[in-house]
Amino acid sequence: MRAALATPRLTVHELLCGSPRSGKGPTRGGESTHVVFVRRGMFAAHVGSRRFLADPCTALVSWEGLEYQISHPCHGGDDCTVFELDAALADELLAGLEPRRDLELRLTPAHFAAYAGVHAALATPSDQLAAEERALALVGTVAGASTRARPGTARRRIAQAAVELLNAELASSPSVSSIADAIGDSPYHLMHAFRAELGTTLRAYRLQLRIAIALHRLAAGDDLAALAAELGFASHAHFTGTFSRLLGMPPRSARVRMRTFLEARRAGAT
């Protein structure tokens, strides 16, 4: 973990975790409120008997003083950005949430793009004002717009199991029946439970996961054709079309915007 931005009210950390698949770790607690956004991978937070998932489609809030344990349902760990808020800022930005109950925050493709912009801004921290503005806007917008989790229901446990499988096999194209068999449910019940809990279909969630990860890989300069194949798209054209439909611009334009932004920031620092 490294601090990417530190101000009197907000500290932003970049966290790179290479953990293998693992069960619950030691109990943590006594921390200030923080909101975690995931670029790659996933992890679970256990609060008593409740279990919450964080992945590129779902941010996670850990409230001040909350005791929790972390597990890693998939191999390879995760890459995250952690926004640590002081008490007054948490009260302001997260005012619409119920402390200690609202932990999962669902993200939209617009949120993916905003997070990628924040991450790019943090890469060249010469302009602390601009980076902090983007970070505060991201957390406040997501907290105000996201749907909340419903902890403790059987339907939710089914949806979580499906999310884990989609993350673990991101490049594959399983059928609803094969996912249902893997988690011990019927295809019809899984399909409806997933949509009721997450507000979207299995296919749409998988596409959003792939696009969220692609955004950050584009900024790092990955080859488009290779990235499309690695993330499980049928072709470069399929990747480009899906990306454009969800984000309103093709991948090449998104990459140019990221690079232009970073170059402008670097030029301003000299």
Side-chain angles (χ1 to χ4, degrees), residues 155-176:
R155 187 174 66 187
R156 174 171 161 77
R157 288 191 291 271
I158 290 168
Q160 284 192 335
V163 166
E164 287 182 29
L165 193 147
L166 291 174
N167 273 275
E169 302 180 14
L170 190 62
S172 66
S173 297
S175 65
V176 177

Side-chain angles (χ1 to χ4, degrees), residues 10-111:
L10 169 70
T11 303
V12 183
H13 306 275
E14 289 296 336
L15 174 62
L16 308 181
C17 172
S19 174
R21 184 172 183 174
S22 63
K24 297 179 186 178
T27 299
R28 307 182 186 185
E31 304 164 338
S32 58
T33 297
H34 53 275
V35 184
V36 185
F37 287 76
V38 181
R39 296 189 301 281
R40 180 196 64 81
M42 71 180 304
F43 68 90
H46 303 262
V47 182
S49 62
R50 296 176 295 161
R51 181 171 180 268
F52 302 89
L53 293 181
D55 70 4
C57 288
T58 304
L60 192 76
V61 181
S62 179
W63 297 91
E64 182 176 5
L66 184 72
E67 290 192 346
Y68 62 95
Q69 296 169 280
I70 296 296
S71 67
H72 293 88
C74 301
H75 291 290
D78 46 82
D79 297 344
C80 306
T81 305
V82 181
F83 298 84
E84 184 179 353
L85 317 174
D86 77 357
L89 188 58
D91 287 345
E92 181 180 5
L93 293 181
L94 309 179
L97 305 182
E98 184 178 343
R100 299 177 179 270
R101 289 189 59 85
D102 288 335
L103 273 73
E104 291 176 358
L105 302 178
R106 309 296 181 208
L107 307 180
T108 67
H111 297 146

